[in-house]
Amino acid sequence: MSQSGGDGRTVISMAGFVNQARFTTVQEVEAYWEAIRGGRLVPRRSDIDPRGIERALEYAFILERVAPGIARLRIAGSHLSDLMGMEVRGMPLSAFMTPQGRNQLGEILEEVFDNPAKATIDLLAERGIGKPEIEAKLLLLPMKSDLGDISRVLGCLATTGEIGRAPRRFEITGSRVTPLLGDFMQNEPAEEGSDPGPEIPKRIEPAPRRGLSEPPAAPFHPASQGATRSTGPRLKPGPRPYLRVVDDE
């Protein structure tokens, strides 16, 4: 946004650029999550490499589901601690919400874990003495734990404006929840222990019997073949050749 100065010069306000840059971290975290997701329904917690979101680390966090509608912070960037004025690891994410916003957040978290879905939430901080207005965006992206259940979230909480006097708590002004099921269900690669579904083999071959191993077939030998079929005593090998030439002339 530009304004005209008293001396006729144009003054460009950088506030809009700063605010947009702050919310860009939300987009960066979501883009990274989509990249490591790789066409699967959701990525795994072990897929996360902090170097992939280095510029957004202070706004990023990882949640663990501990009860219906409740998830606690396992890892949290420094910006979250600045908002609360204390170390926030181990605290529930709902600690950042007003009493009215906690129930809404719980419902959104249940959708994120159970559907699963990704969510973007618009927030507005409570105002008061020493607490200026703050707008914020909260991003919630589901992940699987090392056990394979969807009980982790990669998140980002970015704000605009001065923090002022902590702690700062927010009310929810809007949200967008996007279910991830659908086409991704068909594209999700089969994992160990899962049913991969029917598969058409390139060449149909008889399946070997479980626990049995048949020896390779011996070369065809007419004498031995005849002896196998005979029901009488085994004949001793004689001088007769295997092939006999018959002259009809």
Side-chain angles (χ1 to χ4, degrees):
M1 180 181 296
S2 62
Q3 298 176 348
S4 178
D7 56 359
R9 292 182 299 176
T10 300
V11 178
I12 300 177
S13 173
M14 299 299 295
F17 295 99
V18 172
N19 291 347
Q20 184 62 34
R22 180 65 61 86
F23 286 142
T24 298
T25 60
V26 173
Q27 301 170 3
E28 291 178 1
V29 172
E30 183 174 6
Y32 175 73
W33 179 85
E34 290 285 2
I36 63 172
R37 180 185 181 192
R40 296 173 292 175
L41 183 61
V42 297
R44 288 184 175 271
R45 163 65 181 91
S46 56
D47 296 330
I48 298 294
D49 185 343
R51 293 172 295 182
I53 51 174
E54 188 172 1
R55 293 184 297 180
L57 279 179
E58 62 179 305
Y59 310 105
F61 59 86
I62 290 179
L63 294 176
E64 177 188 16
R65 188 184 198 181
V66 295
I70 301 176
R72 67 183 178 96
L73 293 155
R74 291 181 61 91
I75 299 175
S78 59
H79 185 64
L80 280 76
S81 295
D82 292 341
L83 287 169
M84 293 298 292
M86 66 183 74
E87 175 60 58
V88 297
R89 283 182 297 179
M91 296 175 59
L93 184 63
S94 58
F96 288 87
M97 302 297 154
T98 62
Q100 296 80 4
R102 290 171 187 169
N103 289 336
Q104 292 176 268
L105 177 64
E107 293 174 358
I108 294 173
L109 280 171
E110 284 302 283
E111 292 188 68
V112 169
F113 286 122
D114 291 340
N115 277 341
K118 60 181 180 179
T120 303
I121 306 172
D122 298 321
L123 304 173
L124 185 64
E126 291 180 309
R127 298 184 63 180
I129 299 175
K131 296 183 176 182
E133 180 177 306
I134 298 180
E135 293 182 2
K137 282 192 181 293
L138 175 63
L139 177 68
L140 303 173
L141 304 167
M143 300 186 297
K144 288 184 178 180
S145 72
D146 293 337
L147 299 177
D149 58 328
I150 301 177
S151 60
R152 300 291 187 273
V153 157
L154 172 63
C156 182
L157 176 57
T159 63
T160 63
E162 295 294 329
I163 293 177
R165 190 173 65 188
R168 302 306 306 269
R169 290 186 171 85
F170 299 85
E171 60 184 26
I172 296 176
T173 60
S175 64
R176 183 173 68 256
V177 179
T178 306
L180 301 175
L181 293 174
D183 295 337
F184 298 102
M185 201 66 176
Q186 299 176 357
N187 297 331
E188 186 179 14
E191 299 183 359
E192 185 177 355
S194 63
D195 183 7
E199 180 180 355
I200 300 176
K202 294 181 179 180
R203 184 176 60 183
I204 300 176
E205 297 179 350
R209 283 177 284 183
R210 186 182 301 273
L212 298 176
S213 178
E214 295 182 350
F220 176 75
H221 196 292
S224 62
Q225 188 76 4
T228 302
R229 293 177 181 174
S230 175
T231 57
R234 179 177 299 180
L235 299 178
K236 297 182 179 180
R240 295 174 57 189
Y242 293 122
L243 300 178
R244 182 161 56 94
V245 178
V246 179
D247 188 356
D248 294 334
E249 295 182 0

